[in-house]
Amino acid sequence: MLRTALRNVMAHKARLVMTVLAVCLGVAFVSGTLVFADSTAAAYRAAASKNFADIAVSVTAKDPAPGAAANQSTSVLDDALARKLADVPGVAAVRPSVDGSATLNAADGTPLRVNTGSNLAAAYVPGKDGKDSRSPLIEGRAPSHRNELAVDSGTATAGHFRIGDTITLATDGPVMTKRLVGIVTTKDTRVTAGGTLALFDKATAQRLFATPGHYTGIDLSATPGTDQFDLSRRVTGMLPADRAEATTGTAQADQQGILVGTLTRGYEKLPLVFAGVSLFIGSFLIINTFTMLVTRRTREIALLRAIGASRRQVVRSVLAEAFLVGLTASAVGFVLGLGIASVLPDVLSTDGNTLPQGPLVIGPRPVMAALGVGVGVTVLAAWLPSRKAAKVAPIEAMRTAQQPPTSRSRIRALVGLALLVLSAGLLISLTGAKDASVENLQSAMLGCGILAIALIVLAPLLAVPVIRLIGRLTGRFGITGHLAQQNALRDPRRTAATAATLLISTALVAGLAVIGNSTGQALDHQAAAGLSADYVISTRTPTTGIDPAAVQRVAHTSGVRTTSAVTDSTLFAGGGTQNISGVDPDSVNDVMKLDFVSGSLKDLGPGRIAVSHTLARKCGVSAGGKLNASMRMGPHQSFKQYTVVGVYKDNPVAHDALGARSEVQQNSFLPHSVQRILVRTDGSAISPATEDRLRTAVGNNPLLKVQDRPELVQETAGTMSNLLTLMYGLLAIGVVISSLGIVNTLAMSVAERTREIGALRALGMDRAGIRRMIRLEAVTVAAFGTLLGLAGGLFGAWAVGSLANGAMEHYALALPWGTLLLVCLVSLTIGAVAAAVPARRAAALSPLEAVAET
């Protein structure tokens, strides 16, 4: 039987190649993603090892105790401690460091590589030779004055900087300008992966990131033969236990490894989604291919049964074929996966985050995954056809013709209807919830999954009425259209299995497209719904405040009618954490669109707040009532009764609550600062000139954003880009696998109908008519899968969208007609293009040879 399986694979290799291609796509995504993750992690570790190569022990300050001064813990890291550590046995050299962050403007005034955590700043601390080995100079000199600066070569190139240029930058507050005097190189992976590095003289860095005369860290290198852990213990004994700690270079490398693992796991998610979808869709192609092969070899299998082959042997023979196909697909897919792994760093890299390049690392994990996925999915999908083959009776060998396939099954109908009712009931029950909680979303996903299975189960039963409906259009092509319809109806199960790939991919794309379009429009509307200001000046990070002097300069800018400063902070109320905005009652109504359900802002002041409708409902308060809340966090947190002066409709600009700015500022973690400035112009249109004046008013601070209303909407709409990428990626996968399925099905169908096609040719149908008939049959199958997919996708999107309606006030179902039309056109095009080769083969058949075939 093993020889029989091998012979069958070689005999049908042309037909099985489509199955191999479908499976190898999923294998390629899985293995390629794993190779990419391992290679990226290795590249990060290699780069990180260079950073820690000369570091045996690092001494850093511990976080200050609650209530302690912010810089108290750094006071122990000074020159006196550095000299003391230099005398520790085993210490070869001591290198103090002062680290922080700084964001720079490029030469054209735009913020350069804004990427929190990777915009590094440090002190240039020369050693005995007058050079800082961590940042070797390649041009210019080291900064030696408070108004001087050095940057790394990558930052200089990205910002178009030259020696002598004046650079605008900011650390955590007001903007500064410094003259570029030097360019260095660095091995720090955070910088080489797309960050920036700014170097100050030691005194300036200490003033910005620590306290004068103190450091944020001290790195120690060891003498040859000194163990890191022994040195760390000796150093620890020299440190105040509550204010500083020592960490070995190995431990730092391990911490970097954990960070790398977390980062690369994030990059794995999207490719693995594509892998899962391609394997799921490809499994239908596998089932369909082996089912057709088993059907075509009915007499052969019956003969094997007649000469003594058992049912178990027949099953093993079919599964052996699947194993060989899966093994081939795994090998091809793994090679293709190496190509995917080599291009993923370029695909996933952005301007602010460039992944490191390095050689591909091929470990046992991707190899085993390729074999497990390719062979496992193929053998599992072939199990049902193998069971069908085992049921072939020996008497079938005596039949001269194959029995017509059965198109209806009472059990299939009952199971399909039960699944359909279950999924519809589950999804409809969620439409009244309007609560986008994790539990409801999981229930919605489960309902959509059951709906997809129900459609697949019912597809053979739905094929007859739907294809007859489609036949009204294909019938306009005359006899060829009528024959195409009858050919599609000849075996509804095969037609349904062929259309299943398009059904799944179309349902996914249609559902995601509707949800994405509806959510995008809701976010667009929400972004500016509560805003009447023309411009919003805001911070890029929550730990940054806007200089009060900048607020005054904005207010006196030409063309500005009203400015309203806003302090954003945290409010603890209703058993959770809310966002509160501190505003000035006199100006806020001119820049925010506040629609009050009850009360107003006229009595807003210390001890009095206004709340959103959602927060009021959650806490059970109304205008004039009391709300037990706290604006403080940490050990000094205390709750008190706030008077609710008004309840307004949910407003994304106003957040969950509004308070007096003076009170919110006093209790925020950045006292006396603001996070937003809402600007209303004097009636002049939004223009680049006005925006430039506002940027100048805030000193071209790279930590601040100046956005008009359209830019705010565009930024919010940008959150849907990942969903759109996923949607079109899934569509591409569905297109490829669906086309393979249609080609495979039609090729085998043409082989089965050789005599029939010969008879048609003998009766006078020309080659063009044969080609047209095959193409119309393919388009009919594609249209059937597309219609079912659209129906399922739209229903699922409606149900899931109802949950979003509870989280987004402006959410409404909005059909992306252009995208849906494109999906339909692509699907029909797939059918026509995929039928080209089978149609050409059918038209090339000789009438006499075809009729004579037995």
Side-chain angles (χ1 to χ4, degrees), residues 685-706:
I686 295 175
S687 66
T690 303
E691 183 173 338
D692 289 342
R693 288 195 294 269
L694 292 176
R695 292 186 184 278
T696 302
V698 296
N700 287 318
N701 193 327
L703 296 178
L704 304 182
K705 297 185 292 184
V706 180

Side-chain angles (χ1 to χ4, degrees), residues 14 526 552 653 680 731:
Q526 181 175 302
Q552 296 298 321
V653 181
R680 186 81 177 267
L731 177 60

Side-chain angles (χ1 to χ4, degrees), residues 67 87 156 263 286 382 478 522 583 782 794 838 841:
D87 295 332
L263 177 64
I286 300 170
V583 298
L794 294 178
R841 178 182 176 185

Side-chain angles (χ1 to χ4, degrees), residues 746-820:
L746 289 179
M748 302 184 87
S749 179
V750 167
E752 291 176 357
R753 292 167 14 216
T754 300
R755 297 186 65 187
E756 174 187 324
I757 293 172
L760 291 173
R761 293 279 285 118
L763 291 174
M765 182 175 287
D766 58 11
R767 298 188 178 209
I770 296 293
R771 288 194 295 268
R772 188 182 308 115
M773 178 185 69
I774 301 298
R775 289 196 186 102
L776 288 176
E777 180 181 350
V779 171
T780 299
V781 173
F784 170 62
T786 301
L787 288 177
L788 286 188
L790 285 176
L794 294 178
F795 181 74
W798 168 74
V800 175
S802 64
L803 300 179
N805 194 22
M808 300 181 187
E809 181 182 0
H810 303 285
Y811 184 92
L813 194 67
L815 298 181
W817 294 107
T819 302
L820 296 179

